[in-house]
Structures are given as C-alpha cells and as structure tokens.
C-alpha cells in the first residue's frame, strides 16, 4: 500500500495565511506592524534567492522587512556591529543573518551578537537553552516546520517512538527537544550509530536530517510509520532527500516528498516567529 503524501506546500500556505490573519488582528488591536531585518554578506546567488523569497513572504503576510546587503569583504567586526545595532533598533522585531557567511567570518560570533528576543532563526545560545529546558523561546524554523507537518498529517506524537537521524544544531538537536516536549520517546541517531537500520525500524516517526541522498531505504522504515525527510541534496537527477522516496513510499503510512515537503515550511515558520517576536516585544 502506498503512503499518504504530506503536502508541505499546502501546509506552508495554510500557516502563512494564519500568520497574515493574526498580523491583521494584532495591528487592529493596537499592535505595531512586525518588521523582519535580513542581513546578507557576499554575492552567493542561492543566498540572494533565499533572502528575496523571505521578503516576498513578509509582504504577503503583512510583515514589514528591511534588507542589509554587505560586500563579501565585510569584516566580522563590521557585521557584528550591524547585528548589534539591529538588536537595539526599536523598529526591528526579527533579525535573520543569511548563513553561511564568507569563510573569513565566524558564524558563531555573529549568532552570539543577535539579540535573543529578535532571534527568529532560534540559533542563539539563549533560545537553544530555553528549548532544551522546555521553556518558551524562539524555535528554529525547520524543526518547528517538522512538528507542524506531523500535526497536519494527524500523526500522534505523544507516546510515539521517534527516531531523528542527524544531530545538527540547526535541525536534529532542536527536534529532540521539540519531540520530547510533545512526550515522544526520542532516539537521536547519527554517523556513529551502530545499527542504523535496526534503530530506524523502531520508529513510528522517522525524521531524516543528514544530507546524504537516499541514505534511508524501505528497510529502514517500519510499516505504517510517518517519514519526514528534511534532506535537500542537489544531485545529477535533481533535488533529492535523504530518503529513497520511491522505496519508502511503499512501506510508510505517510511521507514528505523532496522537494515540496519540509522545504516550504521553513519560510512559513520564519513568518510565524517574526510575529511571535513582535508580540513578545509589545508586551
Ligand atoms: P549537518 O551536516 O549539520 O548534520 C548532518 C548530521 O547527519 C550530523 O549530525 C551527522 O552525524 C549525521 N550523519 C552524517 N552522515 C550520516 C550517516 N551516514 N548516518 C547517520 N547519520 C549521519 O546537516 P543539517 O544542517 O542538519 O542538514 C541536513 C540536511 O537537511 C541537508 O540535506 C540540508 O540541506 C537539509 N536542510 C533542509 C532545510 C530545509 O528544508 N529548509 C533546512 C536545514 C537543512
């Protein structure tokens, strides 16, 4: 039997419409228009496309946006100074520094300069610590999008065996906390896991966030499981996930495609986070 396909584009559109309605309601109730500031260093074409898409999404959601574009040779000190100034600027609710920066800049130093109250990517130590401690804060967009997709698919998280393959700060680690917070039994698998297939086959919820095309096949999937594929890998055959979709779709109960699964959720959750930050600052 073929799995239900989880349509990330449709869920993303729903979230963005919900955020747009909430922005209107917030402003009608006397709130200010939320504003996102983006910062891009250098001329990487893909990064330019990502940032342009974020601005389009802001406009559609009724969120204001400002963009700072800096030349590739910008010093780390100048970038940190700009990020700190945005943190102090009362007219800015969210700060997004498009990563990765050029090689001469330490991304961790830039992230550390972001005002945690405006850290809409959820990357600062403050927000990571709040999430790990099960306390409210700004949650990284991609893992937040994974939870949104699971809820939309009707997958029960409480009590489920959840296996996350990958333990990056951007995706795997925050997901551990988010799924634990929803009372799943969580296993984090990674490159040193001994029996990856055996571990994955226990999962009612299997999340792949690795960056290796087709790493997980039908043999990794428990029949009926929900499979969420975070991987985005450019191959000669186009964009591929970390899951061998054609094989896994025959075993899973529900599965995200690549593209069109987790990918579109990240921008939607960025809009949601910008509104959360604006409301928190207004209080
Ligand atoms: P990363 O490189 O920071 O981390 C990869 C993780 O996978 C590591 O923890 C490593 O231990 C684990 N790993 C590597 N090889 C493995 C193996 N053979 N078996 C088991 N585990 C292994 O990657 P990341 O930033 O978390 O990104 C992962 C993937 O998700 C990438 O394809 C990336 O493009 C994609 N991604 C998508 C979005 C989105 O949809 N918007 C956002 C972020 C990342």
């Amino acid at each position: 039997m073929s799995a239900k396909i989880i349509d990330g584009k449709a869920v993303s559109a729903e979230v963005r419409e919900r955020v747009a309605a909430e922005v209107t309601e917030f402003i009608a109730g006397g709130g200010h228009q939320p504003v996102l500031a983006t910062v891009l260093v250098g001329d990487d074409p893909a990064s330019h496309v990502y940032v342009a898409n974020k601005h389009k999404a802001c406009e559609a959601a009724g969120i204001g946006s400002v963009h700072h574009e800096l030349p590739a040779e910008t010093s780390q000190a100048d970038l940190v100074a700009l990020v700190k100034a945005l943190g102090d600027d009362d007219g800015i609710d969210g700060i997004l520094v498009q990563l990765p920066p050029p090689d001469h800049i330490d991304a961790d130093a830039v992230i550390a300069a972001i005002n945690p109250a405006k850290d809409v990517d959820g990357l600062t130590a403050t927000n990571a610590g709040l999430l790990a401690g099960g306390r409210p804060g700004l949650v990284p967009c991609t893992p937040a999008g994974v939870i949104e997709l699971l809820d939309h698919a009707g997958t029960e998280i409480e009590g489920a065996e959840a296996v996350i393959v990958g333990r990056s700060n951007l995706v795997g680690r925050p997901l551990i906390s988010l799924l634990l917070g929803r009372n799943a039994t969580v296993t984090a698998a990674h490159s040193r896991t001994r029996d990856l297939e055996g571990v994955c086959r226990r999962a009612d919820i299997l999340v792949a966030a690795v960056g290796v095309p087709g790493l997980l096949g039908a043999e990794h999937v428990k029949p009926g499981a929900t499979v969420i594929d975070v991987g985005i890998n450019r191959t000669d055959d186009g964009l591929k996930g970390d899951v061998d979709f054609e094989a896994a779709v025959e075993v899973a109960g529900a599965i995200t495609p690549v593209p069109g699964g987790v990918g579109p959720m990240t921008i939607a959750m960025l809009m949601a986070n910008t509104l959360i930050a604006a409301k928190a600052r207004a209080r």
Side-chain angles (χ1 to χ4, degrees), residues 221-247:
V221 179
K222 174 176 167 178
T226 298
V227 178
I228 306 285
D229 190 352
V230 182
I232 300 180
N233 307 293
R234 279 168 222 287
T235 74
D236 293 342
D237 297 331
L239 281 190
K240 295 281 172 197
D242 294 339
V243 177
D244 177 350
F245 181 85
E246 282 74 23

Side-chain angles (χ1 to χ4, degrees), residues 44-64:
D44 178 57
S47 293
H48 273 84
V49 173
Y50 296 147
V51 170
N53 285 340
K54 287 166 187 173
H55 285 268
K56 266 189 226 153
C58 280
E59 204 181 329
I63 291 174

Side-chain angles (χ1 to χ4, degrees), residues 157-178:
I157 300 178
E158 180 154 331
E161 286 268 0
V163 173
I164 305 156
V165 188
R167 53 175 166 180
S168 69
N169 288 341
L170 199 58
V171 188
R173 272 175 215 270
L175 253 183
I176 296 171
S177 302
L178 286 172

Side-chain angles (χ1 to χ4, degrees), residues 30 36 65 73 106 121 127 210 218 248 270 272:
L36 173 71
S65 62
E73 60 275 13
D106 173 14
D121 252 346
N127 282 310
V210 184
L270 177 67

Side-chain angles (χ1 to χ4, degrees), residues 106-227:
D106 173 14
D108 287 343
V110 179
I111 290 167
I114 299 173
N115 179 343
K118 302 184 180 185
D119 170 27
V120 284
D121 252 346
L123 294 177
T124 57
T126 301
N127 282 310
L130 289 170
L131 180 59
R135 288 155 62 200
L138 289 164
V139 173
C141 300
T142 302
V146 170
I147 300 293
E148 198 74 36
L149 288 175
L150 288 171
D151 284 339
H152 179 88
T155 297
E156 190 169 8
I157 300 178
E158 180 154 331
E161 286 268 0
V163 173
I164 305 156
V165 188
R167 53 175 166 180
S168 69
N169 288 341
L170 199 58
V171 188
R173 272 175 215 270
L175 253 183
I176 296 171
S177 302
L178 286 172
L179 288 165
L180 261 185
R182 293 284 297 269
N183 300 316
T185 301
V186 182
T187 302
H190 46 77
S191 53
R192 312 278 174 89
T193 296
R194 260 189 226 122
D195 176 16
L196 186 64
E197 187 180 319
V199 170
C200 289
R201 272 190 78 87
R202 293 207 309 259
D204 304 309
I205 297 169
L206 179 61
V207 183
V210 184
V212 177
L215 176 73
L216 305 184
E219 68 280 14
H220 293 84
V221 179
K222 174 176 167 178
T226 298
V227 178

